[in-house]
Amino acid sequence: MEDFPEKSVILIEEDTGLAKSIYAQYIAAGAASAGKHVFYVTARDAENIRSQMTRLRILPATGFHIEEMHGTDPDALLDLLTSHSKGDLVIVDAFPFYFLDIPLAGFRDAISRLIAVAKTGRIFLLLIDRGILPQRHEVLLRAMADGVIQITTVTEGDKVKRYLNIPKMQGAQLLEKMLPFTITDEGFLIDTRERHG
């Protein structure tokens, strides 16, 4: 989390899957252990997330709150996100779920509202599966976000490899490569070794 720009809205996206959620949960655990207050909003079952974080041995003892929100009303989500004062880091797992039927102008206004709240001292992580929102909505979200982290899954023979790509991050020098990573019992491990030959 220390690498994220302060007062920002960061998009974490992948084609489909749970790697983005696990990545965000590791970020949440690190932030909570550093004394930050983390507010995790999800359309998923909160107990499943707690169980998953317990299996990964990353469930924080303090500073971490999960809120289930199953309705798809974007105004209700925005009211919750913008009025909750305890979240230094706010994670929205399955962000597109709440904006499926909103027109582009309304979507732009919603993102602008989050950006305005972020500028008061919070970081928002918005998790999305690519292709759920209309293409113009996704392009607008990438353009308005302060940072974009992409998780890509590639099949190579009989193996599945996952990569982290950061095409946009305000105030950071961008990497010229995608970083391979694995998720094991030891954690979310990014392979930063240089390969030669």
Side-chain angles (χ1 to χ4, degrees):
M1 185 172 147
E2 65 273 2
D3 294 330
F4 291 151
E6 294 181 9
K7 305 176 182 180
S8 61
V9 174
I10 308 294
L11 175 64
I12 302 177
E13 61 179 354
E14 72 178 313
D15 286 328
T16 189
L18 291 176
K20 67 188 170 308
S21 298
I22 294 171
Y23 180 56
Q25 290 163 16
Y26 271 95
I27 293 167
S33 68
K36 304 288 186 189
H37 294 283
V38 180
F39 188 57
Y40 194 109
V41 179
T42 183
R44 297 170 48 206
D45 181 60
E47 193 51 45
N48 286 345
I49 292 172
R50 282 189 195 91
S51 295
Q52 181 174 310
M53 292 178 78
T54 299
R55 279 192 310 276
L56 294 168
R57 298 188 295 275
I58 61 169
L59 184 64
T62 61
F64 181 73
H65 175 75
I66 300 176
E67 178 89 20
E68 283 184 43
M69 187 169 179
H70 297 288
T72 58
D73 178 10
D75 290 326
L77 175 71
L78 290 169
D79 289 344
L80 177 67
L81 297 179
T82 58
S83 65
H84 196 281
S85 61
K86 294 185 179 179
D88 301 309
L89 173 64
V90 179
I91 299 169
V92 184
D93 196 346
F95 184 74
F97 176 76
Y98 302 100
F99 295 93
L100 292 174
D101 299 319
I102 192 168
L104 187 62
F107 188 69
R108 183 192 62 237
D109 292 344
I111 303 306
S112 295
R113 189 171 165 192
L114 284 181
I115 290 170
V117 172
K119 298 310 175 203
T120 66
R122 297 161 76 187
I123 297 175
F124 288 92
L125 299 184
L126 309 179
L127 282 53
I128 75 165
D129 287 319
R130 286 189 288 266
I132 302 294
L133 291 171
Q135 184 177 8
R136 293 182 70 195
H137 288 58
E138 284 188 12
V139 170
L140 178 67
L141 181 54
R142 285 185 200 102
M144 292 180 75
D146 298 297
V148 177
I149 300 170
Q150 298 171 332
I151 295 175
T152 304
T153 303
V154 177
T155 304
E156 296 177 1
D158 63 346
K159 295 187 179 187
V160 173
K161 296 191 176 182
R162 291 183 178 87
Y163 296 91
L164 208 58
N165 181 35
I166 305 172
K168 177 182 179 180
M169 190 64 65
Q170 179 183 342
Q173 182 176 350
L174 298 179
L175 300 172
E176 297 296 326
K177 60 183 176 179
M178 296 197 324
L179 300 172
F181 72 89
T182 56
I183 301 169
T184 69
D185 290 340
E186 296 175 21
F188 190 97
L189 306 173
I190 296 175
D191 185 356
T192 58
R193 296 173 295 173
E194 291 289 333
R195 288 175 174 72
H196 303 281

